[in-house]
Amino acid sequence: MGDAMKRILCAILALCLALSFFASCKKRGEKLLELNYNEEGLLCGEDGVLYKYAPMGYEPVSQGDEYAVLKATLEEKLYVINGIDPKEWITMEYTGAGFVFYNADITLPTLSQMGVETMYVCEEDVNSIAIAVIGGEETEDRDADRKIISTVVSLIDDPEGKNELWPRGDVNESFRLKMYSPDWPAIYYTVTYAACDSGNFIYDKVTQRCVEVGDLLDEYIGEAA
């Protein structure tokens, strides 16, 4: 390779490195989108997108990079949900509690409308780690798992079913059940499972319903306990 060609390649490499540096600087210094509440109680910003907040019980599947700042709450940061268009879904910092915001043009699904395919059993204080999984691609008995998930969803989402007392005073241990559907990849629908002296119960924050589930999940809860 001649000296002239070497000089050209070095110049090209230097230019690429310089462009990469300035691009990364721009990304790091990029101003966060400013959001605030409008008169209708919707989040809005200069890009014109309107967001509603989902009730507690809808949780993000992940928390990605900072995306916006909520001016009404001392500039609290809002984040993308990895792999999801932030014009559709964004989330507050998630530490086991917090709000998910969704585009106002989206109709939030009920549990039965989600088409749940997987249910993760998680410890109450370890929100990102599934101790047991019901359904999903690696299940040993997909039909049995689907039946269990369908039964749980039906019990929770049946307005005619018996609504048990909540909170309960005889809880021995509790877990989070995170419901996931590939049709709604941004969110989990999360309910509380409580093993009590008086039986086993699931409480749904969204509908504020508490249902008794008997020994339906004993095999999986036993794995998690």
Side-chain angles (χ1 to χ4, degrees):
M1 181 183 296
D3 291 340
M5 181 61 69
K6 288 181 180 178
R7 285 195 296 270
I8 292 172
L9 290 176
C10 287
I12 292 173
L13 178 59
L15 178 60
C16 290
L17 290 174
L19 291 173
S20 175
F21 172 77
F22 286 118
S24 64
C25 287
K26 183 178 184 300
K27 184 176 181 181
R28 287 196 297 270
E30 194 173 87
K31 183 180 178 182
L32 297 178
L33 182 68
E34 293 185 359
L35 299 176
N36 215 329
Y37 291 103
N38 65 12
E39 295 178 354
E40 298 176 339
L42 302 178
L43 272 187
C44 59
E46 61 265 27
D47 63 350
V49 177
L50 298 177
Y51 298 93
K52 296 180 179 180
Y53 71 85
M56 296 290 286
Y58 294 92
E59 299 180 356
V61 298
S62 65
Q63 177 187 309
D65 294 334
E66 293 178 356
Y67 175 72
V69 60
L70 184 54
K71 302 294 288 185
T73 57
L74 300 177
E75 300 196 352
E76 182 173 8
K77 298 294 193 304
L78 297 171
Y79 301 83
V80 300
I81 298 173
N82 290 328
I84 305 298
D85 184 351
K87 294 185 183 299
E88 300 291 321
W89 297 87
I90 52 178
T91 181
M92 286 184 171
E93 182 177 5
Y94 185 75
T95 57
F99 287 111
V100 175
F101 294 89
Y102 62 100
N103 189 296
D105 291 334
I106 295 174
T107 299
L108 201 63
T110 65
L111 179 57
S112 59
Q113 290 171 341
M114 281 187 67
V116 176
E117 292 188 5
T118 309
M119 184 160 58
Y120 299 96
V121 180
C122 305
E123 288 185 343
E124 280 282 5
D125 58 347
V126 185
N127 300 297
S128 61
I129 299 176
I131 302 173
V133 181
I134 305 172
E137 295 296 327
E138 298 181 2
T139 181
E140 295 181 0
D141 191 338
R142 182 168 297 182
D143 289 339
D145 282 2
R146 283 177 176 171
K147 185 175 180 180
I148 289 173
I149 291 172
S150 177
T151 301
V152 169
V153 171
S154 296
L155 286 170
I156 294 172
D157 238 16
D158 180 9
E160 303 299 324
K162 184 178 179 181
N163 193 6
E164 302 284 353
L165 175 68
W166 188 270
R168 308 193 68 84
D170 59 346
V171 178
N172 294 317
E173 56 183 349
S174 60
F175 301 89
R176 289 175 182 247
L177 305 180
K178 294 190 173 189
M179 317 277 193
Y180 177 77
S181 167
D183 295 334
W184 295 90
I187 53 173
Y188 294 120
Y189 191 110
T190 302
V191 298
T192 298
Y193 176 95
C196 308
D197 291 335
S198 54
N200 300 319
F201 300 86
I202 289 177
Y203 176 69
D204 177 17
K205 295 177 183 177
V206 177
T207 62
Q208 297 185 343
R209 282 182 47 76
C210 177
V211 296
E212 186 171 10
V213 295
D215 61 358
L216 182 64
L217 300 177
D218 279 4
E219 175 185 350
Y220 303 94
I221 298 300
E223 293 177 9

